[in-house]
Amino acid sequence: MLPSFFIAHGAPLLAIENNEYTQFLNHLGITLSKPKAIILFSAHWESNIQKVSSVDEYETIYDFGGFSEDLYRIKYPAKGNEEITKEIIQLFINQGVSYEVDTNRGLDHGAWVVLRLLYPDADIPVISMSVNPHLSPEEQYKIGKSLSALREKDALIVASGGTVHNLRALNWGKDTTGEIDDWALDFDNWLSDHLKNWDVESLFNYQTLAHNANLAVPPYGVEHFVPIFYAMGAADDQRTAKLLHRSYRYGNLSHSVWQFG
């Protein structure tokens, strides 16, 4: 059975960089058993009802601006899988999860940057999934939990976002110094303690309990944090959490990879 993962997608530049984090993701893709399909929740696809993609071949979405032209030449032509989409729909029906099927949307950078680093050949079917930052963490967890059975069928469940993702607080000058803001470390350390203990009661109330949650997960950036609950829910049957990687850019933008199950 494959674990589920929360993977930070960082800034779009990761797609063309060679650094500690990109090397880690390259290695992770090599060491994992090759999945039958990848089910990916992206922070950059928000919707008020759970969206499930049903696409033959995805377009590559460049949902950013002002970066190197090299980024806009990248293609990640992953294909979908109608059979897996139907299985997801049936699981949602069984668990009472409201959903809609999307037949048009391509892969945003929260999806293709991560996928390309893990599996550069784009030879694994992908089912793209939205996130709803307006749901409670319990409800987000439930959606992930409803898909846990697919892990037994060699599907890899990935949630892409960022545990500390406050664009207004980034310090571009600190990228070369290696300095990390104390508040970002405090939040990630609090999160780490409670994830490893699978303390969902505290985690679901992170906004009031976590150190510096107001800075790490500002109101305009909640969508980047909540994918972690989808990934956790997908491993509810095992309830084990392991931090595989953590590093930072620009003073506080976290690159963390959590394995669940």
Side-chain angles (χ1 to χ4, degrees), residues 107-119:
L107 295 176
D108 57 66
H109 85 271
W112 64 258
V113 169
V114 168
L115 290 171
R116 188 168 176 268
L117 288 167
L118 290 172
Y119 301 107

Side-chain angles (χ1 to χ4, degrees), residues 12-260:
L13 285 170
L14 277 180
I16 56 174
E17 290 178 329
N18 179 16
N19 56 40
E20 174 191 3
Y21 188 46
T22 61
Q23 290 169 17
F24 172 81
L25 291 178
N26 290 156
H27 181 70
L28 179 62
I30 293 169
T31 55
L32 284 173
S33 299
K34 188 173 182 178
K36 176 182 177 182
I38 302 169
I39 301 165
L40 190 141
F41 292 88
S42 173
H44 285 273
W45 188 8
E46 296 179 59
S47 65
N48 289 327
I49 186 170
Q50 181 63 54
K51 301 280 191 175
V52 184
S53 66
S54 181
V55 175
D56 291 333
E57 183 172 318
Y58 292 94
E59 296 290 329
T60 304
I61 301 174
Y62 308 102
D63 51 334
F64 46 78
F67 290 98
S68 165
E69 284 300 315
D70 291 342
L71 279 174
Y72 302 93
R73 288 193 283 267
I74 292 174
K75 303 288 185 184
Y76 193 81
K79 291 179 168 50
N81 184 303
E82 187 176 356
E83 178 186 341
I84 301 294
T85 294
K86 288 179 177 177
E87 288 190 58
I88 291 171
I89 290 170
Q90 190 57 56
L91 289 169
F92 282 162
I93 291 171
N94 294 345
Q95 298 298 320
V97 175
S98 298
Y99 70 91
E100 288 180 356
V101 176
D102 184 286
T103 59
N104 297 306
R105 194 176 189 278
L107 295 176
D108 57 66
H109 85 271
W112 64 258
V113 169
V114 168
L115 290 171
R116 188 168 176 268
L117 288 167
L118 290 172
Y119 301 107
D121 295 332
D123 58 349
I124 300 170
V126 174
I127 312 300
S128 185
M129 310 283 282
S130 66
V131 300
N132 184 353
H134 304 296
L135 291 178
S136 68
E138 293 93 335
E139 291 170 306
Q140 293 154 352
Y141 187 99
K142 175 187 174 183
I143 291 171
K145 182 179 178 180
S146 69
L147 301 180
S148 62
L150 293 176
R151 292 172 48 230
E152 299 177 7
K153 298 183 177 183
D154 296 325
L156 179 66
I157 299 176
V158 176
S160 168
T163 58
V164 180
H165 190 276
N166 186 338
L167 298 184
R168 297 178 192 175
L170 296 184
N171 187 326
W172 299 95
K174 284 188 176 180
D175 195 37
T176 56
T177 66
E179 292 180 66
I180 304 168
D181 293 329
D182 289 340
W183 60 265
L185 279 173
D186 283 347
F187 178 81
D188 265 343
N189 287 337
W190 182 94
L191 182 64
S192 180
D193 289 343
H194 292 280
L195 285 173
K196 289 176 179 176
N197 290 319
W198 212 270
D199 180 6
V200 290
E201 183 176 350
S202 294
L203 290 165
F204 290 167
N205 291 285
Y206 74 92
Q207 289 176 314
T208 56
L209 296 179
H211 305 162
N212 297 300
N214 61 320
L215 285 171
V217 190
Y220 52 84
V222 173
E223 77 286 341
H224 275 77
F225 181 72
V226 299
I228 204 162
F229 295 124
Y230 294 84
M232 282 188 76
D236 180 78
D237 55 337
Q238 292 180 300
R239 294 195 164 205
T240 59
K242 183 179 181 182
L243 180 61
L244 301 185
H245 177 91
R246 189 169 78 183
S247 56
Y248 295 85
R249 299 288 294 277
Y250 319 119
N252 53 66
L253 182 66
S254 67
H255 289 164
S256 55
V257 177
W258 281 93
Q259 175 180 312
F260 302 112

